[in-house]
Amino acid sequence: GGLATSVVVGGETVPRSWRHAPAEGEAIQPGGETLPRTRLAMAPGSALGEALQPQGYRQRWPPAVASEDAYYDGHNRQGMKVPMQHWDKYLENESLEETRQDTPRAQAMIGSCANQMWELSKSARYCRLVQRALELASEAQQVALVSELRGRIIEATMDPYANHVVQRAIELMRPMAIPFVLSELLEHKRGIPDLARHRYGCRVLERIIEHFPLRDLEALVDKMLHDAKNLIGHPFGNFVMQHLLEHGAEHHKRHLVSVLSVTDEELKLACGHQYAASVLDKALSYCPAEQQRDLASRVLRIPGALTEMARQRGGFAATQRLFKVVSSDHDRLRDAKRQLTAASAELLQSKHGRALLAQVYPELLDPSVTSLPGLPSP
């Protein structure tokens, strides 16, 4: 009689209720799904056409459709999902990128994600599959997939895995195709600043700032600017403030600079703060040129501000940028070099300090230089 157990073939469980292999054209049931034998195929290198016999011998099934594309095409035409376990080999081999758009495999991957986007997005393993499916999908398919997350955007944004799916959707899709993403973020009960301070929420806000039109972001940005002072110095919020300086409107940039430098004391504190100094670096990089020069001049006029910034690792980029801003102004450049010279003994004691001086004032590291340009001779 037939064996009532089953074997795994190409990632699918195949009941072995027959003594002999099915004849050409007969139906078999992989994973409980009925497929015409002529339309079943496994991936290259799988156990296609083989079934284990009780004695341990292998008996080859009659030749069927032996291409991988035919296997996917069979599922696609029948409207059946390829089991998720089938994709594990691609995830384990990190070969998802090999899948090309408009191929049977791509369509099968998209079909596997449909109607279970939320569960898959929260999975450490399958959130990567979902992201690749979005990359391969047409816009209509993208809309259908991402719409399954409607009503869960806040939860997804704060999830360690689903946040990557939300980010990828924002990067790939037109804002007008996913307006509910922005509207749900704005409805967050704890407010937008709470999202900006969140480990994963800050990333989603960064993608929103990068890809949505500024005219659609006024309400969102206003809520963040209202709490800008706290966000500038926050471990995660500072990244959102940096993005506003890079991608925001001119009035957003002016507002952030005014918060950074409302008083000389506040500006000096920002220079010496590991997170705020990174925001200052972006202000010196993306604000209008005249505003960059004014901000650099203020830093140089405040006693100890430049050296505070140069001393701490977080101020490395901001110090480099300040020197570039004043490079064409001889007097300000000489002033900046004089201030670093005064702190050189301390800076030379650390690897960070030596690297900074090598970038902005290499003469200080050259023992053959006895008279430094722009400075009084010893």
Side-chain angles (χ1 to χ4, degrees):
L3 188 65
T5 58
S6 61
V7 295
V8 176
V9 181
E12 298 186 1
T13 302
V14 180
R16 292 190 296 151
S17 56
W18 50 77
R19 177 188 296 272
H20 303 291
E24 181 71 29
E26 291 183 353
I28 65 172
Q29 298 175 333
E33 301 169 335
T34 300
L35 274 181
R37 186 67 186 87
T38 56
R39 295 177 61 184
L40 177 75
M42 289 293 143
S46 71
L48 173 66
E50 295 183 357
L52 287 173
Q53 300 302 311
Q55 295 84 357
Y57 296 103
R58 287 183 179 272
Q59 178 173 332
R60 184 169 297 278
W61 290 348
V65 178
S67 75
E68 184 182 17
D69 282 351
Y71 169 67
Y72 296 125
D73 193 49
H75 281 73
N76 295 338
R77 292 187 183 183
Q78 294 290 331
M80 297 183 298
K81 291 181 181 292
V82 173
M84 294 307 300
Q85 293 83 353
H86 174 82
W87 304 111
D88 286 350
K89 61 182 177 182
Y90 297 101
L91 291 164
E92 291 166 1
N93 297 334
E94 298 186 355
S95 57
L96 285 176
E97 297 300 321
E98 297 175 4
T99 303
R100 295 293 174 256
Q101 202 166 23
D102 297 325
T103 61
R105 186 201 292 175
Q107 295 306 308
M109 188 184 298
I110 295 165
S112 291
C113 296
N115 301 317
Q116 51 182 348
M117 278 285 288
W118 176 234
E119 292 75 13
L120 297 178
S121 295
K122 293 188 297 178
S123 165
R125 174 183 292 267
Y126 295 119
C127 74
R128 293 165 50 207
L129 184 76
V130 171
Q131 292 174 69
R132 184 58 180 151
L134 286 174
E135 293 168 359
L136 297 169
S138 66
E139 183 176 54
Q141 290 171 323
Q142 289 173 340
V143 170
L145 291 174
V146 178
S147 292
E148 294 183 34
L149 301 180
R150 189 187 296 269
R152 296 183 179 271
I153 294 300
I154 294 297
E155 191 175 354
T157 294
M158 295 184 165
D159 185 88
Y161 307 113
N163 82 86
H164 295 289
V165 175
V166 177
Q167 289 186 68
R168 201 72 188 106
I170 294 170
E171 290 171 337
L172 292 169
M173 302 174 68
R174 293 181 301 146
M176 63 183 299
I178 46 172
F180 63 91
V181 172
L182 179 58
S183 62
E184 289 187 32
L185 291 176
L186 286 169
E187 292 169 3
H188 180 43
K189 293 180 180 179
R190 295 181 181 177
I192 294 297
D194 178 72
L195 287 178
R197 287 189 288 267
H198 192 274
R199 179 183 298 271
Y200 310 122
C202 68
R203 303 175 186 176
V204 172
L205 290 177
E206 288 170 28
R207 302 294 88 73
I208 287 282
I209 292 169
E210 289 171 0
H211 296 280
F212 271 60
L214 287 174
R215 64 177 180 275
D216 296 340
L217 297 182
E218 284 300 327
L220 180 139
V221 173
D222 284 348
K223 293 176 185 294
M224 289 190 289
L225 292 180
H226 185 70
D227 197 27
K229 182 177 179 179
N230 292 322
L231 293 177
I232 284 171
H234 190 271
F236 304 123
N238 82 89
F239 293 111
V240 183
M241 298 297 97
Q242 290 183 53
H243 264 63
L244 273 181
L245 284 165
E246 184 173 352
H247 301 281
E250 294 303 315
H251 63 281
H252 300 150
K253 299 176 182 182
R254 286 195 301 271
H255 181 91
L256 285 173
V257 170
S258 70
V259 172
L260 276 169
S261 58
V262 61
T263 64
D264 286 354
E265 182 181 1
E266 289 288 341
L267 182 54
K268 185 175 181 178
L269 287 173
C271 289
H273 193 281
Q274 61 175 326
Y275 304 125
S278 297
V279 179
L280 182 58
D281 169 46
K282 291 298 189 292
L284 289 168
S285 302
Y286 294 103
C287 285
E290 186 60 34
Q291 196 170 22
Q292 291 181 30
R293 289 191 290 269
D294 289 345
L295 187 57
S297 296
R298 281 197 61 187
V299 170
L300 293 174
R301 286 198 303 267
I302 300 171
L306 178 60
T307 54
E308 281 289 327
M309 191 162 64
R311 284 190 185 105
Q312 51 97 17
R313 190 178 302 275
F316 189 104
T319 305
Q320 280 186 296
R321 182 61 195 175
L322 183 142
F323 268 75
K324 290 181 181 178
V325 171
V326 302
S327 61
S328 60
D329 187 320
H330 178 74
D331 291 337
R332 289 193 177 98
L333 180 60
R334 183 177 58 182
D335 188 18
K337 288 183 175 182
R338 180 180 290 112
Q339 291 185 39
L340 282 195
T341 299
S344 61
E346 180 183 349
L347 291 173
L348 289 171
Q349 296 302 311
S350 69
K351 182 178 179 180
H352 153 74
R354 290 192 297 272
L356 176 62
L357 291 175
Q359 291 290 324
V360 302
Y361 201 6
E363 296 92 336
L364 277 176
L365 303 178
D366 188 348
S368 66
V369 177
T370 58
S371 179
L372 298 173
L375 295 174
S377 300

